[in-house]
Amino acid sequence: LKVFFLHGRTCQAAMAAKRSTLAICFLLARASGFSQDTAVEYAKLAAAAYCSTTSLENWSCGSKCSADVQAVQVCQGSTTKGFVGLWNGECLVSFEGTSGLSAWITDLQIWKSATNWPVCNNCKVHSGFLKEWESMSSCIESSLTTIGCGPGSSLKVTGHSLGAALSGIAMMAMHHDGWTIKEGYNFGMPRSGDSNFTQAFDSLFGDRFYRVTHHRDPVVQLPPDALIVDWHFDHVEPEVFYDGDISGGYVSCSVSDDKKCSEQYWDVAVDLLHVKDHLDYMGVNTDGDGCDDGILIV
């Protein structure tokens, strides 16, 4: 009798490798450290990334800038931006999602290009997501160093939509470059890489990362996970799934495509009628709505 105290995807692999042995896996509840109150604060920080550069640097973007964040610096990428700062004295990185959501969803349904990424051995990541991260990575890392959060520092990371995909890739890249990832919460994250990527990510961050999903958000079903030759796009875990508003509570899942979580709404054609679920996380407008540009008119 072999007993494995392992996490979801790793546990599945162990069982598959021990077909001749009775294997019992205890799927640990990796989302046990999840805090709903903390998730609300991270949702505001992820949503703040949609606000103007000026309002972010002045930290005057309205309700999304209600947290104590100082020393904000903004980095512009090819199509989005990110910002770094000190949140209650701790190092923070937040990434903006896409502004042209409808067109982006269409692209994700049909554009399934991926590239090999040496940061995780023999893994593939979505080409567009990696290109966007690389367009701002040097600015993000140098800006962190400028505010006293250079390599060796602990980081908190967040993002929504495309920003969630960027946050996942950034966590891997910055871990590789010498930062310590203290915590990550992201919202409405698309599939970002293959199973080698997700396994590497889960093994590094599965005990301090939470992928939050909401009802029929179509973005979390994209790119499609259909087989592409001999691989497919996969999700990082654990997932924290809200089937309604936050008062209704959540379900946590540690295995990809668990039908108890967002995978129960796998039909993208129907999900596209629920784009509003992508724009509301933890009761926060996770888009440009609700941003205050910080300019006082008298």
Side-chain angles (χ1 to χ4, degrees):
L1 175 65
K2 298 286 186 180
V3 180
F4 299 92
F5 290 89
L6 300 169
H7 296 309
R9 204 188 317 270
T10 309
C11 188
Q12 287 181 319
M15 292 180 70
K18 299 289 183 179
R19 289 190 177 92
S20 61
T21 304
L22 176 60
I24 300 175
C25 274
F26 292 87
L27 300 182
L28 303 181
R30 292 188 300 174
S32 60
F34 176 80
S35 164
Q36 184 164 279
D37 290 342
T38 300
V40 171
E41 294 305 308
Y42 270 107
K44 291 179 182 178
L45 294 167
Y50 287 94
C51 301
S52 71
T53 295
T54 299
S55 67
L56 288 173
E57 290 176 340
N58 294 328
W59 203 241
S60 58
C61 66
S63 62
K64 297 178 181 182
C65 289
S66 61
D68 179 10
V69 180
Q70 300 178 8
V72 173
Q73 296 197 21
V74 178
C75 293
Q76 184 64 52
S78 295
T79 63
T80 63
K81 64 181 182 296
F83 72 86
V84 307
L86 297 172
W87 176 26
N88 295 324
E90 296 188 278
C91 306
L92 169 72
V93 186
S94 177
F95 293 95
E96 179 190 20
T98 182
S99 56
L101 181 60
S102 296
W104 187 64
I105 288 175
T106 299
D107 288 346
L108 283 181
Q109 291 183 79
I110 60 177
W111 188 41
K112 305 174 184 178
S113 176
T115 187
N116 294 323
W117 195 31
V119 166
C120 45
N121 291 334
N122 198 35
C123 78
K124 296 178 185 291
V125 294
H126 192 282
S127 302
F129 302 160
L130 181 61
K131 182 178 179 180
E132 184 65 21
W133 159 246
E134 290 177 339
S135 73
M136 70 174 83
S137 60
S138 61
C139 177
I140 292 288
E141 294 191 349
S142 63
S143 296
L144 283 168
T145 299
T146 297
I147 66 171
C149 295
S153 302
S154 294
L155 298 180
K156 293 185 172 183
V157 186
T158 191
H160 167 257
S161 194
L162 170 59
L166 295 177
S167 76
I169 289 174
M171 287 169 68
M172 289 287 290
M174 297 186 74
H175 169 82
H176 180 267
D177 290 344
W179 276 267
T180 297
I181 306 302
K182 182 174 183 178
E183 190 172 62
Y185 280 66
N186 69 32
F187 307 90
M189 182 182 188
R191 297 182 178 99
S192 303
D194 67 357
S195 60
N196 290 330
F197 169 76
T198 58
Q199 287 172 13
F201 185 98
D202 293 355
S203 67
L204 287 172
F205 312 121
D207 61 344
R208 56 191 182 278
F209 166 82
Y210 310 100
R211 179 173 64 87
V212 183
T213 58
H214 181 208
H215 194 48
R216 300 200 77 130
D217 178 353
V219 171
V220 304
Q221 305 300 341
L222 299 171
D225 60 354
L227 191 66
I228 304 171
V229 186
D230 60 350
W231 67 278
H232 63 90
F233 284 103
D234 210 347
H235 264 310
V236 295
E237 307 298 342
E239 176 181 5
V240 177
F241 172 63
Y242 285 86
D243 204 12
D245 61 31
I246 60 176
S247 64
Y250 62 86
V251 176
S252 60
C253 295
S254 295
V255 180
S256 182
D257 298 336
D258 191 326
K259 290 294 198 295
K260 294 193 299 295
C261 289
S262 61
E263 183 62 17
Q264 64 186 278
Y265 300 122
W266 57 268
D267 191 337
V268 177
V270 177
D271 296 340
L272 287 172
L273 301 174
H274 298 265
V275 172
K276 67 182 186 301
D277 292 334
H278 184 66
L279 304 177
D280 177 3
Y281 269 87
M282 312 307 296
V284 176
N285 288 330
T286 41
D287 62 1
D289 288 348
C291 289
D292 184 335
D293 63 12
I295 298 175
L296 178 63
I297 300 176
V298 296

